[in-house]
Amino acid sequence: MLMIIQTYGTMLLKAMGHTLLLCLLSLVFASVIGMIFGLMNVGHNRALNFIGTVYVDAVRGVPLIVLAYFIYFGIPTAIQQGLGIMSFRLSPLQAGTIALSMNCGAYMAEIVRAGIQSVDRGQMEAGRSLGLSYGAGMALIVVPQAVRTMIPSIINQFIITLKDTSILSVIGFPELTNVGKTVMGNTFKPLQAWAIVGIMYLIVITILSKVSKQIERRVNRGR
Amino acid sequence: MADKADVKISVKNLKKNFGSLEVLKDISLEVTEGEVVVLIGPSGSGKSTLLRCLNQLEKATSGQIVIDGFDVTDKRTDINKVRENIGMVFQHFNLFNHLNVLRNMTLAPVHLKTLSKENANNKAMQLLERVGLSDKAGAYPSQLSGGQKQRVAIARALEMNPDIMLFDEPTSALDPEMVGEVLAVMKELARDGMTMIVVTHEIGFAREVASRVIFMEGGYIIEEGTPEEVLDHPKEPRTIDFLSKVL
């Protein structure tokens, strides 16, 4: 085990860096996607509701691994053949970020929708009765209160997304699980290799959830 | 009735449906400046819906509502602008739970730039003094009693300097011992000449403060007049029946 750490330590740490990079990028985009589609779903515009629902249902209804294959292999092929741009490629990081952002974004949209709907309707009505627009009521009154109830679910979703980065090993992105496979193949020590990889995930996720709990506590203090 | 210039609210043939349910069937009403109109009636009679139609929290199905000369049922009217002049107080207070009392009051005027932040704060402190809560400016809604919340809600509405105030069962969610403090604030407002429409079950308040009492049932105005006329000498059998149950 020590031997593996000595030989492959930096390689595994670098892979962990890739995992975190992919996760972080995806979370940023997913938060934006989730906010947009979540707001589309709580509004009263039927067309926007429809788009939001289709997006959420479609993405949630497809396994992440299929989505990743589709984006990594399918989309470039479509663009090459359809638009004739033969040089078009997606790097594994780009494709992985897109797939994971879309996937996580759909779940975030549901978290945002549920969070906003958990805020009493009277809050928006009070805001509107004072002359605020719908958008101002959302931004100043409803969303700040919704975020508080959303935080535990968001933390949960972040952790799931961090673990889901391992699925993107299938498109060749050199994240932790993918490098773990290499280490196993080189050393023929699957027990030790996967134990190390598992512990690395565990450490990072534990840190993430501890930090998140701290944030949650701070946000709730003013309640 | 006073002359046309004094009419603050004019409702003509207002109808409101929720799906197939007709809640308001044919309401016509005029309220002049400084009047205190009290709406009474059994639950489900459409009192609250009528009130909520006035500032378009509920969209009228048909009919016309003109407030301060603005036709709020007309889609081209900037309803947000009109609402700045119509304060509303809700049964469940609806204070913004994430903001302290001062921020509750100053949020809208500062955002809408009707007051500078400094002026909004000063005005809020004056209003809090008026409702007897100047020591609660930094408190969060969860730290207040029901009566205190409702007085803050009234102060919050007044912060926008409205010339009409709507009260939707302001004391119904309060413990009995807190009703008085809220009614006292409302009485003072009425004395100062605020145009008020109040949905309430407080018959005593209606008797003391109302310039007009309106009895509603089944989506219609059944009877209206001075408190003596409607409360002490009702003519309609349904009014008599209702009053015999609540008095």
Side-chain angles (χ1 to χ4, degrees):
Chain A
M1 191 134 166
L2 214 59
M3 192 278 287
I4 295 182
I5 294 173
Q6 275 172 345
T7 317
Y8 296 100
T10 43
M11 194 174 152
L12 284 166
L13 281 177
K14 207 173 154 210
M16 186 45 128
H18 284 142
T19 291
L20 290 174
L21 175 66
L22 175 59
C23 180
L24 201 71
L25 285 174
S26 302
L27 289 178
V28 170
F29 291 123
S31 300
V32 176
I33 292 171
M35 206 65 194
I36 292 169
F37 284 97
L39 285 170
M40 281 165 91
N41 278 339
V42 292
H44 294 291
N45 184 316
R46 273 159 195 262
L48 293 180
N49 288 165
F50 180 75
I51 297 169
T53 312
V54 167
Y55 174 77
V56 169
D57 287 350
V59 173
R60 286 204 306 185
V62 175
L64 178 56
I65 197 164
V66 175
L67 187 63
Y69 280 139
F70 181 80
I71 290 168
Y72 186 57
F73 297 112
I75 298 286
T77 311
I79 288 175
Q80 285 160 9
Q81 293 174 355
L83 302 175
I85 308 167
M86 294 316 285
S87 59
F88 187 87
R89 297 271 190 286
L90 280 177
S91 73
L93 177 62
Q94 287 165 341
T97 304
I98 294 170
L100 206 52
S101 302
M102 283 179 70
N103 181 70
C104 179
Y107 289 98
M108 289 287 281
E110 282 299 278
I111 293 170
V112 169
R113 184 190 57 75
I116 286 173
Q117 285 175 346
S118 75
V119 177
D120 183 62
R121 262 185 42 184
Q123 295 286 313
M124 177 60 103
E125 287 185 348
R128 298 304 307 270
S129 79
L130 292 165
L132 297 178
S133 65
Y134 176 83
M138 267 295 163
L140 301 173
I141 298 165
V142 178
V143 171
Q145 295 185 63
V147 165
R148 289 178 177 186
T149 59
M150 280 155 41
I151 283 176
S153 312
I154 292 176
I155 292 169
N156 199 27
Q157 191 54 45
F158 280 11
I159 290 169
I160 291 171
T161 302
L162 181 59
K163 293 202 275 190
D164 278 354
T165 54
S166 64
I167 291 175
L168 299 167
S169 61
V170 299
I171 56 171
F173 183 63
E175 49 67 61
L176 189 54
T177 302
N178 201 355
V179 172
K181 270 191 237 172
T182 310
V183 172
M184 179 184 70
N186 289 355
T187 60
F188 298 106
K189 286 183 176 155
L191 178 67
Q192 289 88 334
W194 289 118
I196 290 169
V197 168
I199 289 167
M200 288 177 79
Y201 276 116
L202 190 62
I203 290 169
V204 170
I205 285 167
T206 307
I207 293 170
L208 179 67
S209 51
K210 288 271 181 262
V211 170
S212 306
K213 282 272 178 265
Q214 212 62 40
I215 294 169
E216 188 181 346
R217 209 165 299 155
R218 188 160 308 171
V219 170
N220 282 337
R221 202 171 291 161
R223 213 189 267 253
Chain B
M1 282 263 124
D3 61 81
K4 276 283 171 214
D6 289 326
V7 173
K8 293 297 265 184
I9 301 172
S10 157
V11 179
K12 285 197 190 101
N13 305 110
L14 172 65
K15 291 193 172 83
K16 172 67 188 176
N17 301 345
F18 290 110
S20 60
L21 183 71
E22 290 183 297
V23 179
L24 296 178
K25 286 171 184 156
D26 187 14
I27 301 284
S28 293
L29 174 71
E30 269 192 358
V31 179
T32 54
E33 187 161 5
E35 252 196 304
V36 178
V37 175
V38 173
L39 296 175
I40 59 170
S43 56
S45 58
K47 317 178 291 285
S48 290
T49 306
L50 170 56
L51 203 68
R52 291 163 58 83
C53 279
L54 294 179
N55 67 353
Q56 290 290 288
L57 284 183
E58 302 291 354
K59 299 247 177 300
T61 305
S62 68
Q64 192 189 40
I65 301 170
V66 179
I67 298 197
D68 280 336
F70 295 99
D71 181 352
V72 297
T73 41
D74 185 340
K75 277 194 165 48
R76 287 164 298 182
T77 304
D78 181 0
I79 187 65
N80 294 333
K81 213 70 200 154
V82 181
R83 281 179 181 147
E84 288 180 17
N85 281 319
I86 312 173
M88 186 161 199
V89 175
F90 300 84
Q91 180 176 359
H92 296 288
F93 330 123
N94 298 353
L95 293 183
F96 307 137
N97 298 315
H98 62 307
L99 301 174
N100 67 23
V101 166
L102 196 65
R103 289 275 291 128
N104 257 276
M105 296 178 67
T106 57
L107 176 79
V110 171
H111 178 77
L112 298 167
K113 299 191 169 64
T114 59
L115 289 173
S116 70
K117 185 156 189 171
E118 199 192 339
N119 288 341
N121 283 340
N122 291 339
K123 180 157 191 208
M125 289 313 295
Q126 285 168 15
L127 284 166
L128 283 176
E129 193 150 342
R130 194 165 147 195
V131 300
L133 291 171
S134 38
D135 56 330
K136 298 290 184 189
Y140 281 85
S142 60
Q143 299 165 321
L144 302 177
S145 72
Q148 291 171 332
K149 283 183 198 172
Q150 197 59 301
R151 284 186 281 158
V152 170
I154 294 171
R156 178 177 70 181
L158 292 175
E159 175 90 2
M160 290 301 291
N161 217 11
D163 40 39
I164 298 167
M165 284 285 282
L166 310 176
F167 293 84
D168 188 1
E169 303 202 21
T171 58
S172 297
L174 296 177
D175 290 337
E177 76 269 23
M178 291 169 182
V179 170
E181 63 193 62
V182 172
L183 291 182
V185 170
M186 291 168 64
K187 283 174 195 167
E188 196 194 311
L189 258 183
R191 262 200 304 278
D192 292 350
M194 177 65 76
T195 307
M196 292 164 62
I197 302 188
V198 185
V199 172
T200 188
H201 297 293
E202 297 289 333
I203 301 296
F205 174 82
R207 199 185 298 277
E208 191 179 337
V209 186
S211 38
R212 183 159 32 132
V213 175
I214 294 178
F215 174 72
M216 286 181 69
E217 191 183 285
Y220 293 104
I221 291 176
I222 305 293
E223 188 165 0
E224 61 179 306
T226 63
E228 296 79 44
E229 285 167 357
V230 176
L231 299 175
D232 299 330
H233 308 287
K235 294 185 193 69
E236 296 289 331
R238 278 179 287 185
T239 317
I240 296 167
D241 183 51
F242 173 75
L243 288 171
S244 73
K245 283 174 189 154
V246 298
L247 285 177

